[in-house]
Amino acid sequence: MVSRAEPSLSGRWWWSIDRIILSTLVALMVSGVVLLMAGGPPVAERLGLSTFHFVNRQAVYLLAALAVFLVTSMFSPRQVRRAALLLFVFSFLAVLATLRFGVEVKGATRWLSLGPLGSIQPSEFLKPAFVVLSAWAFSEGSRRPDLPGTLIAFALLPLAIVPLILQPDFGQTVLITLVWAGLFFVAGLHWFWVMGLGGLGAFGLLIAYQLIPHVRGRIARFMDKDSGDTFQVDTALESFAQGGWFGKGPGEGTVKRILPDAHTDFIFAVTAEEFGVVICMLLVALFAVIVLRALFIAQRAEDPFIRLAVTGLALLFGTQAAINMMVNLHMMPAKGMTLPFISYGGSSLISLALGTGFLLALTRRRPRSETLGNSRY
């Protein structure tokens, strides 16, 4: 037990942290390892690896993610901004490096090889840094007329998404753009600009559909199953049908044995078959608790930066989860998006730990004087 009078960093952290968000995030992390034990072994066996290869690696990644998560959650708002700036610079340079030195996977160069340490996906780390910097730019633009914060926020968007389009990684591009648009709206800018951005986004999607075969193929397969290979989506839907409300039971699933991405993009479908729709609904509830609690805290925040950054990080987390689950249910075209803290992946897990660590740091209870004192960069 830690006393409220404890002056140490850990003592102040424990009594200022939002325990609802903290406990829900920990529940998701533990659930991820448990659910990966269902989806990971069949894929490992098909690849000729040890049965629990992905489970063991995920457990190691989770230890590193927990360390990152705890350290970043102790940051002050000013430290969050500075960490986000450094992270954005390094991840942006790494994303550019993938265009020349990246490892090609399924037609896209999104990964950098680290030799015996494996590989890293820099775009995963770009996302939380981009959200925090955009929130800072929008907040400074509204607070200081002498600083072109809104123009900086507008410049950040193409700076972040153009290298992603060149990889190509349209899933991350769509996610970042949606969150940026949400920040744009929350920042209080005129409806005229919001509608104009929506029209510009639709025009960009139309251009991508006309010029990029990869995008055109995914949209065509979503609209018409006979236009191409829809094996993974059809198999995922079959998992929901076979699992029913309460599932077949742990280890009893069969669809996962033929589902190529059962441990990553389609682990939600594997969960449905073995544990049932009820457990899937519980997972949805956990994500909803985190997002709604964060938005509730953001609404009460006096500091514009904290309000915007918490909103953006919550939207990033919730939108990514929603996209993954909607793809599993064939409610939108496939995006290659992981389910936060549930899907296998070291880059995804550690970047999520950074993003949620920032979220916890910014939602901590602080004296009003301390919050306003952190308003400067």
Side-chain angles (χ1 to χ4, degrees):
M1 298 297 292
V2 181
S3 169
R4 285 183 181 271
E6 175 63 48
S8 67
L9 178 62
S10 59
R12 293 195 302 270
W13 176 86
W14 175 248
W15 290 109
S16 62
I17 204 76
D18 188 273
R19 296 182 198 174
I20 295 177
I21 297 179
L22 175 63
S23 58
T24 310
L25 285 170
V26 172
L28 277 177
M29 293 179 189
V30 174
S31 300
V33 176
V34 173
L35 297 177
L36 190 61
M37 293 181 70
V43 179
E45 291 172 359
R46 286 200 302 269
L47 296 175
L49 304 171
S50 62
T51 302
F52 292 102
H53 172 80
F54 294 115
V55 178
N56 294 334
R57 287 176 67 90
Q58 187 79 342
V60 173
Y61 292 144
L62 183 59
L63 291 176
L66 281 172
V68 171
F69 175 75
L70 291 174
V71 170
T72 52
S73 68
M74 295 182 182
F75 285 178
S76 67
R78 184 177 300 172
Q79 289 171 328
V80 168
R81 289 192 290 270
R82 291 175 177 176
L85 177 60
L86 291 174
L87 182 63
F88 182 85
V89 171
F90 284 112
S91 57
F92 175 74
L93 293 175
V95 169
L96 291 180
T98 63
L99 300 178
R100 181 172 179 82
F101 307 107
V103 178
E104 184 174 335
V105 178
K106 297 181 180 179
T109 54
R110 305 171 188 172
W111 301 84
L112 284 177
S113 176
L114 300 179
L117 297 177
S119 57
I120 186 173
Q121 187 176 0
S123 60
E124 290 285 352
F125 299 92
L126 186 71
K127 294 184 296 186
F130 169 81
V131 169
V132 172
L133 289 184
S134 297
W136 171 79
F138 277 125
S139 65
E140 289 298 298
S142 62
R143 180 163 44 196
R144 297 174 54 186
D146 60 312
L147 183 69
T150 303
L151 291 178
I152 294 174
F154 269 85
L156 281 172
L157 181 62
L159 187 67
I161 66 174
V162 168
L164 296 180
I165 294 173
L166 295 176
Q167 284 185 334
D169 190 346
F170 291 100
Q172 304 285 22
T173 300
V174 169
L175 177 60
I176 285 178
T177 304
L178 287 174
V179 174
W180 186 91
L183 284 174
F184 186 95
F185 176 74
V186 174
L189 299 179
H190 197 277
W191 270 100
F192 173 80
W193 295 107
V194 176
M195 298 299 293
L197 283 172
L200 187 62
F203 179 72
L205 181 62
L206 178 63
I207 295 298
Y209 178 82
Q210 295 291 336
L211 300 180
I212 304 173
H214 174 70
V215 176
R216 184 167 59 250
R218 286 196 172 188
I219 295 177
R221 288 194 296 272
F222 174 73
M223 301 297 295
D224 180 12
K225 290 186 177 183
D226 296 329
S227 64
D229 180 20
T230 59
F231 173 77
Q232 290 218 92
V233 173
D234 293 340
T235 307
L237 288 175
E238 186 181 346
S239 297
F240 286 92
Q242 292 194 15
W245 285 103
F246 302 104
K248 293 181 175 181
E252 299 299 320
T254 56
V255 175
K256 65 184 181 181
R257 303 188 182 281
I258 59 173
L259 193 59
D261 294 329
H263 63 316
T264 52
D265 299 350
F266 289 92
I267 195 168
F268 191 62
V270 174
T271 301
E273 184 185 17
E274 296 206 354
F275 299 97
V277 174
V278 170
I279 297 300
C280 290
M281 293 172 65
L282 180 59
L283 280 178
V284 173
L286 291 176
F287 286 114
V289 166
I290 294 168
V291 174
L292 294 176
R293 177 66 177 174
L295 293 177
F296 175 74
I297 294 173
Q299 185 182 28
R300 297 185 302 172
E302 296 184 15
D303 186 340
F305 165 70
I306 292 179
R307 182 169 61 251
L308 288 171
V310 170
T311 300
L313 291 169
L315 288 176
L316 179 68
F317 186 78
T319 304
Q320 179 170 334
I323 289 175
N324 177 276
M325 291 184 284
M326 290 174 71
V327 168
N328 276 247
L329 292 165
H330 195 49
M331 296 174 66
M332 67 184 303
K335 295 290 182 186
M337 197 79 65
T338 59
L339 186 60
F341 292 122
I342 306 297
S343 297
Y344 170 78
S347 295
S348 174
L349 195 59
I350 295 175
S351 72
L352 285 164
L354 275 166
T356 52
F358 289 160
L359 179 66
L360 277 175
L362 295 172
T363 53
R364 285 169 55 193
R365 293 183 295 275
R366 293 181 174 88
R368 186 172 184 271
S369 59
E370 180 184 343
T371 301
L372 296 178
N374 276 293
S375 60
R376 295 180 61 189
Y377 197 82

